[in-house]
Structure formats: C-alpha cells, structure tokens
DNA sequence: GCCAACGTTGGC
DNA sequence: GCCAACGTTGGC
C-alpha cells in the first residue's frame, strides 16, 4: 500500500469543503501534469490513503487524510469546452487526463505546516520538500507517512 | 506582487 | 532534437 499527497488551494477547494461534500467525497479533477497523472492513474489504488495538503495560502501544510475510494477514470472536465480545465487535445477514445475519487478520512487536529515539516531531518528526503517541486500529486514514503502522523 | 523553478510549446 | 519563449506553480 502506497501513500500519497494531494495538493489543493483552499481558496478553490479546502479540506472543509471536502468535509461538507456529499458523503465527504469528491472527484479529484483538473490535474494537467503528466507525472501527476501517472501517479494517479498508474500508482493510486482504491483503499490507499493520501495527505490533503493546502497550497498557495497563508498557511501551507497538511490538513488531513483522505482515502482513495475509486481508482483513476478519465477526467470528464477535459472534454468540456466550457470548463476551465478543458483540453482540446484530449479525446474520449484515448483520454489524456484522469482523476480519482477521494473521501475525507479525518481532518488533522492541527495543520502540519510546510515550515514545520522542513524542520525535521527525517523528512528532508520527501518529494514535497524537494527544491522547486510543483507537482500536485506526490508519493509519500511509509516512514515519512508515519512520522508525520506522529507529529499531530 | 515577486520570482525561482519548473513543464510545455513551437520555430528551426 | 535543440532551445528560447512562455505559462504555471507556489512559497514568500
């Protein structure tokens, strides 16, 4: 079982938005980066867990844990010309973009901020903390996953 | 708002 | 295939 991290801008979709969603579920659409797509489509399996990370906000950091409740399927927003994430180069017969469905497992008692994560040598190797990383979907090592949960 | 660090695009 | 220009991400 692999572990993951999913970034979302709370101004667009926060962990509280997920908490309020029907059955606390949402389809994770709009990923338009190939490596992130590959992690979702080829890596993520139903039942695995991911950190819900708030990015581009006052307090970037890990806000909660979600469970992948459905493996990747083609992202319908890529086919919708009126959608912000429309991609004219993607077609239904051979979709380029995929999304997964997640369910909120739990919100953390506090946000584990990026600043705090950086202070732990044990986490220095995390892809999230790697210089210049901008991927919105990332793997998290098993040791790092456990370590971070123990920080709460 | 700034800017570093990318990924993508497109001319050649 | 190279690489400059451009767009985006995301911390600060």
């Amino acid at each position: 079982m692999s572990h993951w991290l999913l970034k979302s801008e709370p101004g667009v979709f926060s962990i509280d938005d997920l908490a309020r969603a029907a059955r606390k579920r949402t389809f994770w659409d709009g990923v338009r980066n190939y490596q992130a797509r590959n992690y979702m489509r080829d890596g993520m399996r139903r039942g695995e867990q991911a950190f819900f990370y708030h990015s581009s906000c006052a307090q970037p950091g890990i806000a909660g844990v979600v469970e992948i409740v459905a493996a990747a399927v083609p992202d319908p927003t890529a086919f919708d010309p009126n959608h912000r994430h429309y991609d004219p180069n993607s077609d239904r017969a051979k979709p380029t973009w995929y999304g997964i469905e997640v369910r909120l497992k739990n919100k953390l008692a506090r946000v584990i901020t990026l600043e705090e994560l950086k202070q732990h040598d044990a986490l220095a190797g995390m892809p999230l903390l790697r210089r210049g990383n901008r991927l919105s979907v990332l793997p998290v090592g098993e040791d790092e996953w456990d370590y971070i949960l123990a920080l709460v």
Side-chain angles (χ1 to χ4, degrees):
Chain A
M1 296 279 277
S2 302
H3 286 103
W4 308 94
L5 181 143
L6 295 166
K7 293 183 186 174
S8 184
E9 299 184 27
V12 178
F13 189 81
S14 71
I15 195 160
D16 290 325
D17 291 326
L18 180 57
R20 285 190 291 266
R23 300 161 75 205
K24 299 187 179 183
R25 293 183 183 215
T26 194
F27 182 72
W28 207 266
D29 59 20
V31 172
R32 296 292 180 270
N33 171 283
Y34 287 101
Q35 196 176 343
R37 190 268 326 257
N38 292 345
Y39 282 136
M40 285 199 307
R41 187 191 59 183
D42 308 331
M44 287 187 178
R45 296 296 173 251
R46 178 183 156 86
E48 291 179 342
Q49 293 181 10
F51 286 132
F52 190 114
Y53 180 90
H54 281 167
S55 66
S56 293
C57 58
Q59 196 183 44
I62 294 169
V65 176
V66 299
E67 180 181 343
I68 290 127
V69 291
V73 296
D75 180 348
T77 66
F79 309 129
D80 179 359
N82 297 317
H83 200 281
R84 179 172 163 258
H85 296 301
Y86 176 58
D87 179 2
N89 297 318
S90 178
D91 82 87
R92 291 177 187 277
K94 201 164 182 287
T96 307
W97 307 115
Y98 288 75
I100 46 141
E101 188 174 356
V102 303
R103 181 183 62 213
L104 180 63
K105 183 159 180 285
N106 60 285
K107 192 174 161 177
L108 297 188
R110 64 186 182 88
V111 173
I112 309 297
T113 65
L114 177 61
E115 184 184 21
E116 179 176 353
L117 294 172
K118 285 177 175 172
Q119 289 166 6
H120 293 270
D121 290 342
L123 303 177
M126 278 187 82
L128 176 70
L129 303 182
R130 218 178 46 209
R131 201 168 113 94
N133 173 69
R134 302 177 311 162
L135 278 185
S136 62
V137 180
L138 293 167
V140 176
E142 306 308 298
D143 293 346
E144 293 154 349
W145 178 271
D146 293 338
Y147 187 94
I148 290 167
L149 284 179
L151 294 175
V152 180

